[in-house]
Amino acid sequence: MPEGDALHRAARRLQPLVGQRVQAESPHPRAAVTGVAERVDGLRLEAVEAVGKNLLLRFEGGVVLRSHLRMRGRWFVRPRGAAVLGRPWLVLRGDRLEAVQVNGPVLELHQRAVRRVGPDILARPPDLDAMVDRLRSQHPERAIGDALLDQRLVAGIGNMWKAEALWRARVSPWRPLADVSDDDVRRVLEEAARLLRASVDGVREGRAVYRKAGRPCPRCGGRIRSRGQGDGNRIAYWCPRCQPGGDGPTGA
Ligand SMILES: [Zn+2]
């Protein structure tokens, strides 16, 4: 049974992932409906600590994930990409290691009030005007796909929903902010808010472009492309045919 000492050991095992941006995934359906993976995907893990019988994972933007292990829950750390046994509740992938949580049974997100974090995409309703203002405060050459992952500008959009929202709004992730109208920025944010809210409510839409490089675009049949973007080199996915205007560093 996981007691405090076991939680402290788990916290210690997770330390090598602190400071890294993680890719998050919830293979287990009970965990997937919580929307936890989407909310922490792409965020930097800032601290892991055991508090009482909880493991607290603190992410940038004031996002705190609480994991309570009850009787059977467990965290372990292994090399990234090792074979998956069963269906973990949560996988957090770093550069070389990944943290795996199995058997839940409690994963909850809490949001600390942090001034530097941008408006929450999952607020009801999301403050789109404030998000547009913050995006407009950026260097006009900054690509919109990169800016959307900056939690100081908009909190809560991970790499998957970034790609899917841009595709739905027909905006290329490579377009410089200067080249995207307020209306288009707003449509991207509206799509992101809708997709994330639907995912949290358990009605997840199929992915059109995320991790579908080389396959045909479901809208126009063009070939979906992928390329690392921004400081974190997160992979952007887009259809150059129906998301025109900026095809990445090569311009091809
Ligand atoms: Zn297309």
Side-chain angles (χ1 to χ4, degrees), residues 92-167:
L92 299 175
R93 297 199 171 90
D95 298 337
R96 291 188 193 82
L97 297 173
E98 60 191 28
V100 180
Q101 207 280 322
V102 294
N103 295 332
V106 178
L107 285 176
E108 281 178 1
L109 284 178
H110 303 266
Q111 186 94 31
R112 254 186 303 136
V114 172
R115 259 178 324 198
R116 291 191 60 213
V117 70
D120 189 343
I121 195 73
L122 274 169
R124 297 180 192 253
D127 189 347
L128 299 182
D129 290 335
M131 294 176 200
V132 172
D133 285 348
R134 292 209 182 196
L135 288 161
R136 288 286 174 233
S137 73
Q138 295 300 292
H139 193 285
E141 290 304 314
R142 189 172 188 186
I144 185 169
D146 180 39
L148 285 172
L149 292 180
D150 187 334
Q151 302 298 310
R152 295 167 303 175
L153 308 178
V154 183
I157 301 179
N159 202 36
M160 176 172 74
W161 296 125
K162 164 197 124 173
E164 295 296 321
L166 285 165
W167 180 82

Side-chain angles (χ1 to χ4, degrees), residues 42-114:
L43 298 186
R44 192 183 306 282
L45 179 61
E46 292 184 335
V48 180
E49 58 189 321
V51 178
K53 295 195 172 181
N54 296 295
L55 197 64
L56 299 183
L57 286 76
R58 300 186 189 280
F59 293 87
E60 66 180 312
V63 176
V64 179
L65 172 61
R66 181 174 80 91
S67 166
H68 193 300
L69 301 174
R70 299 261 167 83
M71 300 289 279
R72 297 181 56 230
R74 214 179 132 217
W75 277 96
F76 57 93
V77 174
R78 62 185 191 178
R80 179 181 165 129
V84 179
L85 291 175
R87 285 196 283 184
W89 279 53
L90 188 63
V91 181
L92 299 175
R93 297 199 171 90
D95 298 337
R96 291 188 193 82
L97 297 173
E98 60 191 28
V100 180
Q101 207 280 322
V102 294
N103 295 332
V106 178
L107 285 176
E108 281 178 1
L109 284 178
H110 303 266
Q111 186 94 31
R112 254 186 303 136
V114 172

Side-chain angles (χ1 to χ4, degrees), residues 121 126-132 135 148 154 157 165 169 182 184-195:
I121 195 73
D127 189 347
L128 299 182
D129 290 335
M131 294 176 200
V132 172
L135 288 161
L148 285 172
V154 183
I157 301 179
D182 281 358
D184 280 350
V185 172
R186 186 174 275 274
R187 277 194 306 116
V188 172
L189 293 168
E190 282 168 353
E191 290 291 351
R194 189 180 60 74
L195 288 163

Side-chain angles (χ1 to χ4, degrees), residues 1 8-9 16-17 37 88 116 134 140 145 157 194 203 220 230 235:
M1 182 190 318
H8 280 276
R9 283 199 297 273
L17 286 159
R116 291 191 60 213
R134 292 209 182 196
I157 301 179
R194 189 180 60 74
V203 283
C220 76
I235 307 291

